[in-house]
Amino acid sequence: MFDKLSERLSGVFDRLTKRGALSEADVDEALREVRIALLEADVALPVVKDFIAQVREGAVGEAVVKSITPGQMVIKLVHDALVKMLSAGEETATAISLNAPAPVPIMMVGLQGSGKTTSTAKIAKRLAERQGKKVLMASLDTRRPAAQQQLAILAEQIGGRSLPIVPGEPPVAIAKRALQAARLEGFDVVMLDTAGRLAIDEELMDEVAQVHAATNPHETLLVADAMTGQDAVTVAKAFKDRVSVTGIVLTRVDGDARGGAALSMRAVTGCPIKLLGVGEKIDALEDFHADRIAGRILG
Ligand code: GDP
């Protein structure tokens, strides 16, 4: 996803490190090119401005110009600014928290087609395999025909469990039944896959808010499609303004998105990216580590 950005930045830094000494004008020129590279990668403008300001602050004065390897110093400043942009200074990878009494409710929200149902099954499989958790999945999507069946099929594929479907049951009632069933049957986690829409609308937001109020989820994960760039960030912000989103699952990171969504998401929404969807297969899920992503970008 970051190939183009990575290529652009390595061009800038190659030129910089070839010089023995740097003038302030050299640093300015490099930062101008970094700024263009970030904007071309579709990073939100305010985020780019903060980023450049942070690097410039580190670079001003004597430190960079007078250091023995000034080019390397600039690269380090850019690396640190990238990590900060991606993680807001949080040091460790922010995994899904299950630190609550069982059954722990996890609610999945997002637009239709963002990868919500697939991500629900991916996360359920991972919690079962890596942490030995007993996970119940329930689809609250009463809108899209066959959405509930889709989750049931995925659950079967991964050897997991989904809540039996009761035709005509409204979303809040399904969610309550899922929690009740999970309590009675000793599940550790209940994953609630809510309905999406093609775009943000009031009805959707009301439904999401109602389910949230009725279930008080320990994690509310917003699923956003990296391929939609800044739209993904706008959508995430709209959800965040309505329900307390605790983390973001960024999907289609395996596609040829320019990276702007991944790079702007944390700074614009204030929510940590927790997981990356990297393919259609159920195992195609990665933890999000800001420093690894920064390392990947800077090569
Ligand atoms: P929902 O409407 O939000 O529940 O979306 P789905 O889970 O049904 O996913 C829509 C499509 O995107 C399906 O074809 C998925 O296989 C695909 N998909 C989901 N996540 C990823 C991902 O990380 N990478 C790729 N390449 N495809 C994905």
Side-chain angles (χ1 to χ4, degrees):
M1 172 162 73
F2 298 111
D3 291 356
K4 195 134 183 269
L5 176 62
S6 195
E7 208 176 288
R8 287 287 304 253
L9 292 179
S10 78
V12 178
F13 296 143
D14 273 355
R15 264 168 276 147
L16 215 56
T17 44
K18 279 206 186 95
R19 298 172 184 228
L22 289 186
S23 66
E24 276 181 36
D26 293 332
V27 175
D28 279 348
E29 171 64 15
L31 287 186
R32 204 180 61 81
E33 288 178 46
V34 170
R35 181 188 155 93
I36 294 169
L38 289 172
L39 288 173
E40 279 182 1
D42 196 28
V43 181
L45 184 59
V47 178
V48 175
K49 281 187 173 160
D50 283 353
F51 181 94
I52 297 294
Q54 189 194 327
V55 177
R56 192 183 298 279
E57 202 177 296
V60 289
E62 320 298 295
V64 165
V65 176
K66 288 204 175 150
S67 69
I68 303 162
T69 55
Q72 290 298 337
M73 282 286 280
V74 174
I75 296 172
K76 186 183 178 319
L77 289 169
V78 169
H79 176 273
D80 293 350
L82 272 177
V83 172
K84 195 169 168 217
M85 171 162 79
L86 290 163
S87 67
E90 283 164 355
E91 279 182 16
T92 51
T94 37
I96 290 178
S97 163
L98 298 180
N99 195 9
V104 181
I106 298 180
M107 182 172 159
M108 307 292 286
V109 301
L111 292 187
Q112 186 175 314
S114 59
K116 234 179 314 92
T117 304
T118 312
S119 300
T120 301
K122 285 179 176 178
I123 292 169
K125 182 163 190 268
R126 164 181 283 234
L127 293 177
E129 283 178 356
R130 296 199 183 171
Q131 298 181 49
K133 298 295 179 190
K134 203 176 155 195
V135 184
L136 180 65
M137 287 167 265
S139 168
L140 317 188
D141 189 348
T142 53
R143 293 292 174 130
R144 195 161 55 88
Q148 291 178 286
Q149 283 82 353
Q150 185 193 343
L151 185 67
I153 291 165
L154 283 172
E156 211 178 296
Q157 268 176 26
I158 62 172
R161 287 274 305 279
S162 63
L163 188 74
I165 299 167
V166 175
E169 191 177 28
V172 170
I174 301 175
K176 286 184 176 166
R177 183 163 59 90
L179 286 175
Q180 176 74 0
R183 244 176 249 123
L184 292 174
E185 295 176 48
F187 281 88
D188 301 303
V189 178
V190 183
M191 301 209 53
L192 304 168
D193 180 20
T194 62
R197 296 284 191 284
L198 292 174
I200 295 283
D201 69 27
E202 265 314 294
E203 205 189 24
L204 164 71
M205 287 300 172
D206 277 347
E207 186 175 304
V208 165
Q210 278 171 25
V211 172
H212 191 276
T215 57
N216 190 23
H218 183 60
E219 288 267 19
T220 302
L221 302 177
L222 180 276
V223 182
D225 178 353
M227 294 297 288
T228 61
Q230 285 307 305
D231 282 348
V233 182
T234 310
V235 165
K237 203 167 171 308
F239 273 95
K240 163 92 198 306
D241 290 345
R242 197 64 186 267
V243 291
S244 58
V245 173
T246 56
I248 290 161
V249 180
L250 199 62
T251 60
R252 296 214 181 81
V253 170
D254 51 307
D256 60 358
R258 287 178 289 164
L263 294 168
S264 313
M265 199 57 102
R266 182 66 172 100
V268 174
T269 65
C271 292
I273 299 178
K274 295 203 166 186
L275 293 161
L276 300 175
V278 293
E280 294 195 49
K281 296 219 175 78
I282 292 298
D283 286 318
L285 188 70
E286 282 180 10
D287 289 326
F288 181 84
H289 295 279
D291 51 349
R292 279 190 214 160
I293 301 277
R296 213 190 283 175
I297 293 169
L298 294 180

